[in-house]
Amino acid sequence: MYERRNIKRTFVSARKKLKDFLLSAKSREFFIFLFFFFMAGGFWLLQTLNNDYEADFSIPVKLKGIPDNVVITSEPASEIRVRVKDKGTVLLNYMLGKSFYPVQLSFDEHNSKNNVVRVAASEYEKSVVSQLNASTRLLSMTPDTLEYIYSTGMSKRLPIKLCGTLSVERQYYLSDTIFRPDSVLLYAPAEMLDTITTAYTQPVVLENISDTLVQQVPLLQPKGVKVVPPTVELMLPVDIYTEKTVEVPVVGINFPFGKVLRAFPSKVQVTFQVGLSRFRQIDAEDFSIEVPYDELLRLGADKYTVKLSKIPDGVRQVRCNPEQVDFLIEQESLNE
């Protein structure tokens, strides 16, 4: 309560001081001076802007209507620099509020038999002048000729491959890499097309991924090659590892007739990590422990170190318990 009264007292005191200052004779003189100062500045600015000046502006250039099988090997200039002359007020409007529309070059109107197109300034001057005020005089345009080179390429559909670095958080993993679409069309001259087997993405760096990710990825466009579409959707399904244990029998292989393997224990516990989405799909039948007869003969001992002869894809951190088993090679009786 005490602090609130102090704040109110301070506010009332500051307001009173401000009011006294604004109503004082010195402050009135100061504000009158500011008024006439800004008025004089405004008249001076209007007088100055009424004179003629020269200024440079840029107008974008856009090439439209390019067929899929056409590869632009040398793009036209991205902009035209124009120099104009007019009163300062008009030029100021260009600088602050005027936005110029692109100069449109239609491929159908400017294609050429020798694949080299040159468009003289006289052909697009009308498009530039139509965007200027009637009082504005066009002095020059740079470049005075727009040029581009193209080639008509053959096409080939190619798979996409991810280029970059991916990392996931601990206990997670990427279960797949999915592109939509899964392939793209490449247009290029025949001699170039024969050397290309895969379409690569631009480098992608994604770190500490912990959930399924979907994003648009641009594709690399080598010089002289056109990729359609230029961008694809990348989907990275993320799964979490979980642990599972199954019992796998120890089986002898290539044993002579009448001889059998007796292992102790006859089954080994196999523990592994697998993605949660595949937990129910992986079972004991997906693993195998096969013990060759000739390998046992070379051992010269009655203990065999367990080795998995079949491991399914998508599992990791596989370990066996026990790591060794005792064994006997028995001769079956005729009665058996």
Side-chain angles (χ1 to χ4, degrees):
M1 184 66 72
Y2 177 74
E3 291 183 358
R4 187 177 298 176
R5 285 199 300 268
N6 282 347
I7 293 173
K8 185 176 180 181
R9 190 180 299 115
T10 303
F11 174 76
V12 171
S13 175
R15 187 175 63 178
K16 185 176 183 303
K17 289 180 180 179
L18 179 63
K19 183 178 179 181
D20 292 342
F21 170 75
L22 293 176
L23 296 177
S24 65
K26 288 185 178 180
S27 67
R28 284 198 300 271
E29 292 176 1
F30 176 71
F31 286 123
I32 292 171
F33 167 76
L34 282 182
F35 172 76
F36 285 106
F37 174 80
F38 285 116
M39 182 177 288
F43 283 124
W44 173 82
L45 182 62
L46 288 175
Q47 183 64 31
T48 302
L49 291 177
N50 203 39
N51 296 330
D52 286 344
Y53 296 95
E54 295 181 5
D56 292 328
F57 300 98
S58 63
I59 299 178
V61 177
K62 186 177 181 181
L63 181 60
K64 65 176 184 177
I66 305 172
D68 284 344
N69 67 325
V70 169
V71 180
I72 304 297
T73 57
S74 173
E75 293 278 355
S78 60
E79 63 180 22
I80 301 170
R81 296 291 298 178
V82 296
R83 188 166 186 82
V84 297
K85 184 175 182 179
D86 207 333
K87 295 187 180 299
T89 51
V90 178
L91 297 181
L92 186 63
N93 178 55
Y94 289 148
M95 294 178 184
L96 300 180
K98 179 74 173 180
S99 58
F100 294 100
Y101 295 105
V103 171
Q104 302 276 3
L105 300 180
S106 176
F107 182 85
D108 292 336
E109 295 177 5
H110 298 100
N111 57 2
S112 169
K113 291 183 179 179
N114 61 0
N115 295 356
V116 179
V117 176
R118 294 181 178 88
V119 184
S122 58
E123 296 186 48
Y124 53 83
E125 181 177 348
K126 184 178 179 181
S127 175
V128 174
V129 173
S130 64
Q131 301 188 60
L132 302 175
N133 282 14
S135 61
T136 304
R137 186 152 58 99
L138 179 63
L139 301 178
S140 64
M141 291 190 293
T142 306
D144 57 1
T145 301
L146 294 175
E147 178 182 284
Y148 62 90
I149 303 171
Y150 69 92
S151 66
T152 304
M154 299 175 63
S155 66
K156 182 165 69 172
R157 185 165 290 278
L158 295 176
I160 306 167
K161 189 171 182 179
L162 181 65
C163 178
T165 304
L166 306 177
S167 67
V168 294
E169 290 190 0
R170 191 176 180 183
Q171 292 299 316
Y172 289 89
Y173 75 102
L174 295 176
S175 60
D176 202 353
T177 302
I178 301 171
F179 290 105
R180 295 174 181 162
D182 60 358
S183 60
V184 291
L185 276 174
L186 262 71
Y187 293 91
E191 60 274 13
M192 290 186 63
L193 205 60
D194 291 340
T195 64
I196 304 174
T197 58
T198 306
Y200 291 93
T201 67
Q202 291 190 11
V204 175
V205 179
L206 299 170
E207 298 178 344
N208 300 324
I209 306 173
S210 61
D211 198 2
T212 297
L213 185 66
V214 178
Q215 70 176 45
Q216 296 294 319
V217 179
L219 300 175
L220 287 176
Q221 305 259 3
K223 187 175 181 180
V225 176
K226 184 177 183 179
V227 182
V228 179
T231 303
V232 294
E233 182 183 89
L234 169 65
M235 181 177 180
L236 299 172
V238 176
D239 202 355
I240 187 169
Y241 278 114
T242 186
E243 197 165 81
K244 185 174 183 178
T245 300
V246 295
E247 286 193 337
V248 180
V250 180
V251 179
I253 60 171
N254 300 327
F255 273 63
F257 178 74
K259 292 189 177 183
V260 294
L261 173 68
R262 303 296 187 192
F264 308 98
S266 61
K267 291 185 178 181
V268 173
Q269 287 189 337
V270 178
T271 303
F272 56 93
Q273 289 185 347
V274 64
L276 189 60
S277 61
R278 299 190 62 202
F279 185 84
R280 295 183 180 275
Q281 300 174 12
I282 305 296
D283 215 334
E285 288 74 18
D286 297 305
F287 299 86
S288 66
I289 302 174
E290 296 177 344
V291 183
Y293 176 72
D294 56 351
E295 186 175 342
L296 293 181
L297 294 180
R298 292 194 299 267
L299 281 179
D302 56 359
K303 284 190 178 292
Y304 176 78
T305 301
V306 175
K307 291 178 288 189
L308 287 162
S309 52
K310 185 175 76 170
I311 301 175
D313 294 332
V315 301
R316 68 169 195 169
Q317 302 291 332
V318 182
R319 57 190 186 274
C320 299
N321 183 35
E323 295 181 355
Q324 289 185 325
V325 295
D326 297 318
F327 70 91
L328 289 174
I329 299 176
E330 287 189 351
Q331 181 73 43
E332 288 184 313
S333 65
L334 293 177
N335 293 335
E336 292 178 340

